Amino acid sequence: MPSNAEAQRAEGSGERDETARRGGKRVLYRRLRALRGEGVVRADYDLAPALPPLLVGFALLLILVLGLGVLSVRRLEIVGRTTLDLERQHAAKISLLLRLRTALTELNNQARARAEAEARRELRPPFDLPLRNARGEVRDLLDAFQKTALWQTDLGQQLGRQVADFVETAVDSERFSLEGFERFRALEATLDQMLRDLGREQDEILRTSEELEREAASRIRLLTYLAALTGAFVAAGTIWEVQRRFRQAKRSLREVERQRRFNLQILEGMVSAVAVIDAHERIRSANAAFLRLFPKAQIGSSIDEPLAQPEAMRMLERAARANAERATYCGRWVIRSGGSDGEARTFDLYASPLEVDGERASLVTMVDVTEAARAEAELRRKEALAAVGQATAQVAHEIKNPLGSIRLGVTLLRDMTTDERALSTIELLERGIEHLNKITLDVTRYSRHKPLSLSEVELQNLLEDSIMLVRDRLAEKRAHIERRYSAEPIHGLWDADQLQEVFVNLLVNALDASDDGKPIVVETRLIENSIAGGQAGRGWAVISIEDFGCGMDAATRARIFEPFFTTKKRGTGLGLAIVKRIVEEHGGKLEVESEVGKGTRFTIKLPLVAPVENTADRWASAPGGAPLK
């Protein structure tokens, strides 16, 4: 047996059993970790069938989310840019008006300062540079104002004219003194009005911005709904595909499991022992028949361990080390179970190449041919007996003719003498002649195969006719027949003459084995197929003939059907051999039960319908060529 360390390595290999215990049966196949220093057997891993649709669905949902995010950001950017542009334009307008007001105020101040200086008759520079600068700035701002959208409005046109008039007024100090103040006030009123209009425009910009934001939010919600709907379709499609593939994988697994169970049942039901031996001479797989033949074997055991009887181990080693390139016959082996006194079983040994985990292995098959070997031996024995029977029949034929002459001569001698001693001698000769004549008749009957002549027979009547033929022997033994017939008549398609020979022979043997005055029991019954184990549509008639004589031991029972074997002083040893042959030709069975000192029972089981091989006889025996009913 393997050591504890080896057992732990085999059991703790980390890889699961391919076929676990089911129904109380032992493991049929298990992967083992490779031996130390030789690496670990690795399996190729593929994607699960349900994983690709999950990955595709996840990718599509991710694309939808990214697309929704990009579109939402882009929409918000558009709203932001639009609002920013409007705010910038508005700010530019306000800035321009404020600068224009500042420049006009500066121009007004410079003009007033000039007017005051002139009124005080102060000395001024000839060119009055600050005033000119203020006037130039106003003209520049007016040019910029004329390029804006404000210039297109009526109020803008009015402001432009007022600015131009004010600039012209500021040039002339007298005119400025007369009109400048009024014109500046009117100009400020126009600027205030435009600034108020721009304030309202600011409110409009805010409303526009809010409208754009609402529109963007509405568009984003729509995109969100579309993305959610699309995602739901993608998820539903993915789930459906996963479910479809899962169902397909489940069906495949069920089919694989069904096939595995079917193969397991085949292997477990095989009479032949089957095992797989790997390159390290360890058992990788075995069926129940192999484990019965090698009771100490386990999955992972080495063939160098004592798993069974030495002869069985030699057989296993021979097959495992055959290194067969193809299916190879490794001879016939005889194994005794339970030691030298156990039952002998015959096996034909085969070895076939196999690959396990990428390494060379052997498939060992041990075909139990015990029954075939026995049948072959029985056939050879029957052929030998047939040859002996034919030779004996020839000898009997050669003896029969001179035996008639001897009988005639002895009869003439009896008629020619009256001497008591001579008559006693003649009587002794006649008994010897009768015995010799019986032997020749039995040998001739055994050696000649007579075909069955089938007809419808009523069993009880046939038994009564047979009993009548032995009534003299019954009278000699002062015995009687105890009849235990079935309640209903039993009819069958049999050969009446040959069956009568069977019954008479068994009755005579029963009388010979019984003491005087002991009964002979004759019993009949009808049984169904389920009890008798017969073929479909065939009932069976069972006939038992039992005596209460001396009985037989096991050695005698084993040989009673052999030709020329007898326990009688003047028997031929052919009676029971003829009986067995006739019963078997009818497709029946002959069984014997006996115990020394208690008696013997012969049981005959006959099918009610003739066997297939005698169909031709049935047709030939029927009137008009029709089979008898």
Side-chain angles (χ1 to χ4, degrees), residues 326-451:
R326 54 188 177 84
T328 304
Y329 177 62
C330 300
R332 178 165 288 186
W333 297 70
V334 179
I335 308 298
R336 290 190 178 275
S337 59
S340 58
D341 297 333
E343 180 186 5
R345 307 293 298 177
T346 305
F347 294 91
D348 279 344
L349 184 63
Y350 297 88
S352 303
L354 194 66
E355 183 176 319
V356 175
D357 295 334
E359 295 181 327
R360 184 184 181 86
S362 296
L363 175 64
V364 177
T365 306
M366 305 171 187
V367 182
D368 191 340
V369 294
T370 303
E371 299 302 327
R374 290 174 181 171
E376 291 173 2
E378 180 66 17
L379 179 60
R380 288 193 294 270
R381 187 184 69 84
K382 287 183 177 180
E383 289 176 349
L385 289 175
V388 172
Q390 290 178 359
T392 306
Q394 185 66 29
V395 172
H397 178 72
E398 296 298 330
I399 293 174
K400 190 173 183 179
N401 291 332
L403 189 62
S405 301
I406 293 172
R407 179 185 289 135
L408 179 60
V410 170
T411 302
L412 291 175
L413 287 175
R414 175 182 288 279
D415 294 338
M416 293 173 59
T417 182
T418 57
D419 183 61
E420 291 295 331
R421 293 181 60 187
L423 290 174
S424 177
T425 302
I426 290 171
E427 185 177 349
L428 183 60
L429 288 173
E430 287 178 341
R431 285 201 299 272
I433 291 170
E434 286 297 327
H435 179 63
L436 191 57
N437 185 59
K438 184 178 183 304
I439 291 176
T440 57
L441 289 176
D442 285 346
V443 168
T444 302
R445 188 183 305 115
Y446 180 76
S447 61
R448 292 177 181 175
H449 179 72
K450 181 181 178 182

Side-chain angles (χ1 to χ4, degrees), residues 54-91:
L54 282 175
L55 294 176
V56 171
F58 178 77
L60 290 175
L61 288 175
L62 184 61
I63 291 171
L64 284 174
V65 171
L66 291 176
L68 177 61
V70 169
L71 292 175
S72 300
V73 170
R74 184 173 298 173
R75 191 65 187 175
L76 290 175
E77 288 178 349
I78 292 173
V79 171
R81 283 197 300 269
T82 303
T83 303
L84 183 60
D85 290 341
L86 292 175
E87 290 288 348
R88 284 176 178 175
Q89 293 174 8
H90 180 71

